[in-house]
């Protein structure tokens, strides 16, 4: 498939190498003439709301928010008023991701009601995540305490939630994500789209994000120290990020300026 061929070289030519879609006609249209929220009125083969939100998300994950296709797809979102929960969250997080790169002024919300609904739905979903604390998360928290690394459980960076923010002097710029199976493509160690986008957005704000994947944690033992122990694993993972002069560098941001 063309998409696979474009990604085989490392992903750099994914968007530029993809052949013209039949929906993109010679006038620059998207096959959406006469498009409405009613599915039975949508022209055959036209992009639906899920197509649009997924495509915007994918382009953000690929780092291609600089291409014309991205902004033309965003323009399409402004002609639609009905979105489901997942789509609203995708739109708002894509918007904030672009804004954190300084391009937020290029994305306009034609309908204030849509922007407000997207923001509120994103906040609702994030609040649900904050209430969910897994045994995996608790186990990591306990080991951090055992090795005398101070932290704050559950925090917010922009529209994103992070599992832990380290507060030990010299490590205040570090956040930890406890990544269970739902953060990866099935049966692989490859982060899925939402996880990849979240990591990039947080790192672009100046934070150091440390991931603890479930498949590595599950191989460790509970010994007090030594190779293969959870304590040694976290020590080796975190201490290289210790800053000897934290005041010498500006603190990371929690949101766009």
């Amino acid at each position: 498939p063309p998409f696979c061929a474009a990604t085989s070289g490392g992903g750099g030519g994914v968007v530029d190498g993809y052949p013209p879609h039949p929906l993109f006609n010679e006038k620059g249209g998207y096959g959406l003439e006469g498009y409405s929220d009613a599915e039975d009125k949508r022209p055959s083969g036209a992009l639906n709301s899920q197509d649009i939100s997924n495509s915007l998300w994918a382009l953000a994950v690929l780092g291609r928010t600089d291409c014309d296709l991205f902004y033309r797809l965003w323009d399409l979102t402004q002609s639609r008023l009905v979105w489901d929960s997942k789509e609203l969250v995708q739109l708002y997080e894509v918007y904030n991701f672009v804004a954190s790169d300084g391009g937020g002024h290029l994305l306009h919300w034609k309908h204030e009601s849509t922007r407000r609904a997207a923001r509120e739905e994103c906040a609702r979903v994030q609040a649900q995540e904050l209430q969910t604390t897994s045994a995996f998360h608790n186990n990591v928290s306990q080991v951090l305490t055992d090795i005398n690394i101070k932290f704050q459980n559950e925090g917010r960076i922009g529209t994103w939630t992070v599992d832990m923010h380290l507060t030990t002097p010299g490590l205040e710029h570090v956040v930890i994500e406890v990544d269970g199976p739902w953060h990866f493509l099935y049966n692989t160690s490859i982060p899925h789209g939402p996880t990849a986008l979240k990591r990039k957005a947080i790192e672009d704000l100046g934070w150091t994000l440390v991931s603890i994947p479930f498949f590595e944690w599950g191989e460790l033992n509970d010994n007090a120290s030594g190779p293969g122990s959870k304590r040694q694993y976290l020590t080796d993972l975190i201490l290289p990020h210790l800053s000897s002069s934290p005041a010498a560098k500006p603190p990371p941001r929690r949101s766009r300026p």
Side-chain angles (χ1 to χ4, degrees), residues 164-216:
M164 301 168 191
H165 172 214
L166 303 189
T167 56
T168 293
L171 290 172
E172 297 97 333
H173 60 290
V174 177
V175 295
I176 291 178
E177 283 287 276
V178 177
D179 290 331
W182 52 91
H183 289 282
F184 302 91
L185 298 179
Y186 179 70
N187 209 27
T188 77
S189 60
I190 302 172
H192 63 28
T195 297
L197 179 61
K198 178 179 180 179
R199 289 180 182 179
K200 179 170 173 52
I202 291 173
E203 289 171 349
D204 283 352
L205 288 171
W207 296 86
T208 296
L209 188 149
V210 173
S211 168
I212 302 176
F214 75 99
F215 48 83
E216 291 185 1

Side-chain angles (χ1 to χ4, degrees), residues 35 37 74-83 88 91-92 95 107-120:
Y35 177 80
D37 290 328
W74 180 265
D75 287 343
L76 289 183
T77 68
Q78 304 309 298
S79 64
R80 185 176 179 86
L81 293 175
V82 179
W83 302 86
L88 283 172
L91 291 180
Y92 199 71
Y95 169 77
L107 299 184
H108 302 286
W109 297 86
K110 180 179 178 181
H111 303 285
E112 171 61 21
S113 59
T114 303
R115 187 197 66 81
R116 185 169 57 250
R119 182 188 63 189
E120 292 174 353

Side-chain angles (χ1 to χ4, degrees), residues 8-168:
S8 63
V14 171
V15 176
D16 299 326
Y18 203 77
H21 192 282
L23 295 179
F24 305 137
N25 59 41
E26 66 277 4
K27 296 180 180 179
Y30 290 78
L32 292 175
E33 293 79 4
Y35 177 80
S36 75
D37 290 328
E39 288 296 320
D40 59 343
K41 294 182 180 179
R42 181 165 53 87
S44 175
L47 301 176
N48 59 31
S49 58
Q50 186 176 25
D51 294 332
I52 297 170
S53 62
N54 284 347
S55 296
L56 284 167
W57 187 283
L59 287 170
V61 170
L62 289 169
R64 290 310 309 269
T65 57
D66 60 336
C67 68
D68 179 64
L69 173 59
F70 178 85
Y71 288 97
R72 293 171 77 181
L73 284 168
W74 180 265
D75 287 343
L76 289 183
T77 68
Q78 304 309 298
S79 64
R80 185 176 179 86
L81 293 175
V82 179
W83 302 86
D84 68 20
S85 171
K86 180 181 178 181
E87 293 162 356
L88 283 172
V89 171
Q90 283 182 311
L91 291 180
Y92 199 71
E93 291 190 338
V94 165
Y95 169 77
N96 276 279
F97 173 69
V98 174
S100 71
D101 273 348
H105 62 286
L106 299 176
L107 299 184
H108 302 286
W109 297 86
K110 180 179 178 181
H111 303 285
E112 171 61 21
S113 59
T114 303
R115 187 197 66 81
R116 185 169 57 250
R119 182 188 63 189
E120 292 174 353
E121 187 60 20
C122 192
R124 185 188 69 80
V125 171
Q126 297 285 4
Q128 284 184 335
E129 292 181 2
L130 283 171
Q131 296 171 1
T132 303
T133 303
S134 66
F136 180 16
H137 184 128
N138 288 338
N139 191 202
V140 173
S141 297
Q142 182 58 56
V143 178
L144 284 173
T145 300
D146 292 342
I147 60 176
N148 297 316
I149 292 182
K150 296 183 173 64
F151 61 94
Q152 176 185 0
N153 263 320
E154 310 289 7
R156 292 287 293 273
I157 296 177
T159 61
W160 312 92
T161 60
V162 292
D163 291 326
M164 301 168 191
H165 172 214
L166 303 189
T167 56
T168 293

